[in-house]
Amino acid sequence: MLLMIAQWLGQDVRAFNVFGYITLRTVLAAMTALVISFLAGPRVIRWLAAKKIGQAVRTDGPQTHLVKSGTPTMGGVLILIAIAITTLLWADLSNRYIWVVLIVTLGFGAIGWVDDWKKVVYRDPKGLASRWKYFWQSVIGIIVAVYLGMTATLPSQLELIVPFFKTVAYPLGVIGFMVLSYFVIVGTSNAVNLTDGLDGLAIMPAVMVAAALAIFAYVAGNAVYAKYLFVPYVPGAGELCIFLGAMAGAGLGFLWFNAYPAEVFMGDVGALALGGALGTVAVIVRQEIVLAIMGGVFVAETLSVAAQVLYFKFTGGKRIFRMAPLHHHYELSGWKETQVVVRFWIITIMLVLFGGCRH
């Protein structure tokens, strides 16, 4: 919206043409989303508290978490509001990728909203049945995967890029691309959701990965940089920087209220949405493996749950970890919550740097 106004004003006043630069709009998007989060945060928290939308804490989990019972949850709606408003303000709304990631983000957020609402408001501990949650995630994931596969304009957009090897890529074909895209989008959404269990644990890695993906999106959208760095050229992908900048700003703004001791929790409405968005962007810029590297904490949390469940079934009740997901294992091993969170942040920083240095 603001870009269109700037372009119109730029016809008479050349100074407004500066808003055509993706880098400037990315910074402005991050700042705008941050300010929206700061301003709307207290209001959203008060509304959630007034509606008695409080977190129910597992009695079989770490006993230190019992004091968190009743803390407002579903705070992820604050992130979605900031991202949506900011993206609509600063992004080029004629860019199809912007609409793809917005639809995924808000669609997965809606699924998370229904799940959280049933758990908290209707006091249904199961929330939205797992099969229905997965069904609707799959519907969105399949639609997006099919759309991206059918609208790919270059062969390189249908290849699996192998990091650390500049010229190694495997052609997937349209069907292979769609299958991979589906699993990346849905898998990342659930991985972030599993990680969201401690104050600030999920949001900061999401912010860091989003910021790193913004660099990949900028490079992928520039034919010169893409060729020089052996990155698939994806026309229009650079505009995703504005969305990712908004995500980073909104995430940092949310962290202000979610830092230990948290005033509000993200809930599925935020975690499912952020994960789906990151997975979609990674698919568009052809960096699925890099996403798995940079989001190693999300991967480890997911694998810990899968391993725990399978080992429990096959051994008749034995466990690998004290408790899954992985962050609870370390808590029960004696780490304080803040230690777990900060150490997982440090690991993410290293993984993001490692994944970003793939070339």
Side-chain angles (χ1 to χ4, degrees), residues 67-212:
V67 296
K68 300 182 180 184
S69 181
T71 301
T73 188
M74 297 178 68
V77 69
L78 172 63
I79 302 174
L80 300 189
I81 291 172
I83 290 176
I85 293 175
T86 301
T87 302
L88 293 175
L89 284 176
W90 291 112
D92 178 2
L93 300 183
S94 66
N95 185 292
R96 64 191 181 98
Y97 292 131
I98 288 295
W99 289 107
V100 169
V101 294
L102 271 180
I103 289 172
V104 171
T105 303
L106 297 179
F108 276 74
I111 296 170
W113 174 276
V114 173
D115 187 37
D116 287 336
W117 192 264
K118 288 175 71 67
K119 288 178 181 177
V120 178
V121 177
Y122 291 102
R123 306 299 177 185
D124 182 355
K126 295 182 180 179
L128 182 63
S130 297
R131 64 179 182 279
W132 285 112
K133 184 190 296 186
Y134 185 70
F135 171 78
W136 289 113
Q137 284 180 304
S138 296
V139 169
I140 297 173
I142 290 172
I143 291 174
V144 171
V146 170
Y147 173 77
L148 293 176
M150 298 301 294
T151 58
T153 56
L154 298 172
S156 60
Q157 295 176 23
L158 297 175
E159 295 178 337
L160 177 63
I161 309 301
V162 180
F164 311 113
F165 299 92
K166 294 184 178 180
T167 58
V168 178
Y170 295 100
L172 298 171
V174 175
I175 300 300
F177 170 85
M178 292 177 182
V179 173
L180 176 64
S181 299
Y182 164 77
F183 281 111
V184 170
I185 294 170
V186 176
T188 307
S189 175
N190 288 305
V192 174
N193 194 35
L194 287 172
T195 306
D196 182 33
L198 301 179
D199 298 353
L201 178 59
I203 189 60
M204 194 59 186
V207 166
M208 289 187 277
V209 173

Side-chain angles (χ1 to χ4, degrees), residues 22 95-98 100-101 147-149 151-159 161 177 213-227 230-241 280-288:
I22 289 176
N95 185 292
R96 64 191 181 98
Y97 292 131
I98 288 295
V100 169
V101 294
Y147 173 77
L148 293 176
T151 58
T153 56
L154 298 172
S156 60
Q157 295 176 23
L158 297 175
E159 295 178 337
I161 309 301
F177 170 85
L213 282 177
I215 298 174
F216 282 101
Y218 183 76
V219 172
N222 186 297
V224 176
Y225 293 159
K227 182 179 180 181
F230 295 93
V231 171
Y233 173 51
V234 183
E239 199 66 24
L240 290 173
C241 291
T280 304
V281 172
V283 166
I284 293 173
V285 300
R286 311 307 307 124
Q287 300 299 333
E288 298 92 344

Side-chain angles (χ1 to χ4, degrees), residues 2 190 303 339 352:
L2 293 181
N190 288 305
L303 292 178
Q339 287 179 309
V352 166

Side-chain angles (χ1 to χ4, degrees), residues 46-60:
R46 284 198 297 269
W47 181 82
L48 293 172
K51 295 294 183 180
K52 300 186 184 302
I53 303 177
Q55 180 70 36
V57 177
R58 294 172 56 178
T59 57
D60 61 338

